[in-house]
DNA sequence: CTCCAGGGATGAT
DNA sequence: ATCATCCATGGA
């Protein structure tokens, strides 16, 4: 197999793929197999070199230089990580996360795939989101082959729109099935043009995304960050909320979502999305989960 | 403001 | 083998 060699300094492939922003890459041999849009891809990292091979359904006009550009763009190898990290606030929680997450990048995901996946993510944990993504792809996604691997790419909005809520439920979507179906229909019909939304301001984009079934503030911010390159978008899930409460507001009792959001916007600044991703990944991987022995009765009241 | 559906992976017992 | 826990949106 022929592997393109792509320079990738300041990049940690494994950590990036395991940081809760993308859910379809699988370990394979010394690397990972997955897809970038319609393109099946195998990847492995050796120090500062990313080795990659890809195969499309249509072989015409597909040349290595453009393939390398596709991979570099997807993994945002052009993001100036040093500058981004230097823009983070200087506090103990942030500094620990920054050190821990060296090489973690916010990647550029296809819009529909990202939106659909995060609609499915609501009330789910990473392992389960991966399972749902696999179910959807294996049931509805087109097949590609890369080397000896078989890859199911993410199904289009049109394909999802042509299914039924019952079919989607078989993919373990539960009540998310009707939201995914409704949003797929809006996108497939052209009533919503995800590409055109890219022209909107952050505020307007968030409003438009939140109009879609199954999309609230958290999912909208994830899609803005991971598919629209709005690096200031700061999704607040339970992990991040826990970090914020414990590390930034250890004494505050009344912190509603509105106040938290106002704080994150002004405190973390234009690269807040990166800061959030680093805090999130660090918390998730270092047992940030309050010592699982929440046994002795004291589950706070909610 | 509060309450809660909903369901599969995960880890504790 | 059973049981509690994790979780975001939207509606009551």
């Amino acid at each position: 197999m022929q592997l393109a060699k792509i320079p990738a300094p300041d990049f940690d492939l494994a950590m990036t793929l395991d940081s809760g922003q993308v859910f379809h890459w699988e370990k394979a041999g010394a690397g990972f197999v997955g897809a970038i849009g319609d393109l099946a891809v195998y990847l492995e990292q050796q120090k500062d070199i990313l080795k990659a091979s890809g195969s499309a359904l249509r072989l015409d006009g597909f040349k290595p230089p453009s393939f390398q550009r596709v991979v570099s763009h997807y993994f945002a190898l052009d993001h100036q990580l040093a500058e981004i990290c230097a823009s983070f606030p200087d506090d103990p929680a942030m500094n620990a996360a920054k050190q821990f997450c060296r090489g973690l990048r916010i990647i550029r995901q296809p819009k529909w795939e990202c939106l659909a996946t995060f609609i499915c993510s609501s009330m789910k944990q990473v392992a389960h989101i991966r399972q749902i993504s696999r179910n959807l792809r294996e049931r509805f996604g087109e097949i590609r082959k890369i080397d000896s691997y078989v890859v199911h790419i993410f199904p289009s909005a049109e394909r999802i729109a042509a299914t039924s809520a019952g079919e989607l439920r078989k993919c373990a979507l539960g009540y998310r099935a009707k939201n995914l179906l409704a949003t797929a229909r809006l996108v497939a019909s052209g009533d919503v043009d995800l590409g055109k939304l890219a022209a909107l301001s952050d505020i307007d984009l968030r409003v438009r995304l939140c109009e879609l079934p199954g999309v609230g503030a958290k999912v909208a911010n994830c899609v803005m960050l991971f598919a629209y390159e709005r690096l200031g978008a700061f999704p607040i899930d339970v992990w991040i909320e826990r970090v914020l409460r414990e590390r930034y507001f250890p004494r505050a009792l009344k912190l509603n979502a509105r106040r938290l959001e106002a704080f994150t916007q002004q405190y973390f600044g234009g690269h807040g999305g990166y800061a959030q991703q680093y805090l999130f990944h660090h918390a998730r991987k270092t047992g940030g989960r309050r010592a699982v022995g929440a046994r002795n009765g004291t589950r706070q009241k909610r």
Side-chain angles (χ1 to χ4, degrees):
Chain A
M1 111 176 99
Q2 191 170 332
L3 291 172
K5 295 182 178 57
I6 302 168
D10 274 338
F11 180 54
D12 188 322
L13 173 67
M15 181 159 37
T16 296
L17 294 182
D18 185 37
S19 64
Q21 59 177 315
V22 66
F23 304 93
H24 68 281
W25 293 91
E26 314 268 3
K27 277 193 177 141
F32 299 86
V33 161
I36 299 177
D38 282 356
L39 178 66
V41 175
Y42 171 82
L43 299 162
E44 68 183 56
Q45 182 171 26
Q46 286 177 5
K47 298 185 180 167
D48 282 359
I49 301 296
L50 187 58
K51 298 184 171 183
S53 64
S55 71
L57 178 63
R58 289 178 299 278
L59 298 174
D60 48 276
F62 191 70
K63 304 219 166 33
S66 64
F67 172 64
Q68 298 194 18
R69 246 179 275 122
V70 167
V71 175
S72 295
H73 183 263
Y74 181 75
F75 286 108
L77 299 181
D78 54 305
H79 281 172
Q80 299 301 308
L81 270 200
E83 290 175 20
I84 289 169
C85 289
S87 78
F88 291 163
D90 180 11
D91 66 64
M94 193 69 248
N95 290 334
K98 180 165 64 177
Q99 179 143 349
F100 184 82
C101 298
R102 200 168 291 275
L104 172 52
R105 288 174 184 267
I106 305 277
I107 71 176
R108 296 186 180 97
Q109 298 184 45
K111 293 177 175 61
W112 161 251
E113 175 180 320
C114 182
L115 171 64
T117 302
F118 277 94
I119 287 174
C120 298
S121 80
S122 89
M123 283 292 281
K124 288 294 180 192
Q125 291 154 103
V126 171
H128 202 177
I129 301 166
R130 296 181 65 86
Q131 185 62 50
I132 291 173
S133 169
R134 186 178 308 119
N135 292 342
L136 285 173
R137 284 179 289 110
E138 289 182 355
R139 189 175 281 261
F140 303 115
E142 293 179 24
I143 289 184
R144 301 283 188 276
K145 288 186 178 154
I146 177 66
D147 306 324
S148 60
Y149 301 106
V150 171
V151 173
H152 295 260
I153 63 173
F154 198 86
S156 66
E158 290 76 10
R159 181 68 187 90
I160 297 287
T163 67
S164 65
E167 285 295 301
L168 293 175
R169 279 183 173 269
K170 293 178 185 171
C171 298
L173 267 74
Y175 65 90
R176 298 156 200 81
K178 65 180 194 327
N179 291 334
L180 181 62
L181 180 60
T183 294
R185 286 177 173 164
L186 288 171
V187 172
S189 71
D191 288 350
V192 171
D193 185 328
L194 296 180
K196 282 188 179 166
L197 296 187
L200 298 176
S201 68
D202 286 4
I203 301 284
D204 291 341
L205 175 58
R206 185 176 292 110
V207 167
R208 295 295 300 279
L209 289 173
C210 285
E211 290 171 355
L212 301 172
V215 180
K218 193 270 181 182
V219 170
N221 277 325
C222 286
V223 175
M224 290 174 67
L225 180 58
F226 302 135
Y228 287 88
E229 209 175 357
R230 306 303 169 100
L231 299 185
F234 196 105
I236 299 178
D237 71 337
V238 293
W239 288 93
I240 286 299
E241 183 167 340
R242 193 177 298 145
V243 170
L244 292 174
R245 287 180 185 278
E246 292 179 357
R247 304 299 297 270
Y248 293 90
F249 299 95
R251 301 257 160 237
L253 287 182
K254 46 178 168 48
L255 268 185
N256 57 27
R258 179 168 275 105
R259 290 177 54 122
L260 273 183
E261 188 194 333
F263 166 76
T264 59
Q265 285 306 306
Q266 68 86 21
Y267 184 75
F268 292 100
H271 296 118
Y274 256 99
Q276 178 273 353
Q277 193 65 15
Y278 280 33
L279 290 169
F280 174 86
H281 186 67
H282 182 235
R284 231 169 52 83
K285 291 297 173 180
T286 58
R289 185 181 333 210
R290 65 180 63 250
V292 194
R295 295 256 46 83
N296 295 348
T298 54
R299 196 76 217 122
Q300 77 258 27
K301 49 136 188 153
R302 320 217 35 110

